[in-house]
């Protein structure tokens, strides 16, 4: 994978935070920290997209039906007995 050099500008407070993360041993250098932030952001966006897709599928799956809590509990008890 090729690497690309970027120049970024941080406030003094942000720079101190990054330095603190490195000094505490969480990261080896500024670049590792920034790459970690980008990976986390990418993962969060992927989780959000997955959630939105699931919501869309749920909304288009048809008319909602009320839950029968008694039936759910009975099915759970039956599964627990079968597992014994």
């Amino acid at each position: 994978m090729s690497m690309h050099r970027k120049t970024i500008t941080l406030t003094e407070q942000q720079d101190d935070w990054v330095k603190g993360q490195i000094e505490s041993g969480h990261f080896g250098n500024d670049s590792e920290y920034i790459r970690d932030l980008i990976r986390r952001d990418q993962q969060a966006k992927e989780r959000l997209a997955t959630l939105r897709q699931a919501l869309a599928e749920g909304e288009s799956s048809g008319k909602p039906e009320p839950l029968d809590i008694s039936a759910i509990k009975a099915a759970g008890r039956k599964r627990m007995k079968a597992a014994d």
Side-chain angles (χ1 to χ4, degrees):
M1 177 183 323
S2 66
M3 300 295 252
H4 299 272
R5 181 175 292 279
K6 300 285 183 186
T7 301
I8 62 169
T9 304
L10 302 174
T11 65
E12 185 174 342
Q13 180 185 15
Q14 292 168 332
D15 188 50
D16 289 343
W17 176 262
V18 173
K19 287 177 183 175
Q21 295 301 303
I22 294 164
E23 290 169 2
S24 67
H26 295 295
F27 301 94
N29 57 46
D30 295 20
S31 293
E32 286 181 15
Y33 182 67
I34 300 299
R35 286 192 298 268
D36 183 67
L37 291 176
I38 292 169
R39 275 191 296 276
R40 289 178 192 221
D41 186 48
Q42 289 171 325
Q43 291 168 349
K45 297 286 191 290
E46 289 171 8
R47 285 191 303 270
L48 184 58
T50 300
L51 177 59
R52 285 185 174 146
Q53 178 64 32
L55 288 171
E57 289 173 7
E59 289 175 345
S60 66
S61 67
K63 185 178 175 182
E65 298 177 11
L67 292 176
D68 182 352
I69 299 299
S70 297
I72 293 170
K73 288 180 178 179
R77 288 185 189 105
K78 185 177 179 180
R79 289 176 71 182
M80 292 295 289
K81 284 184 180 179
D84 287 341

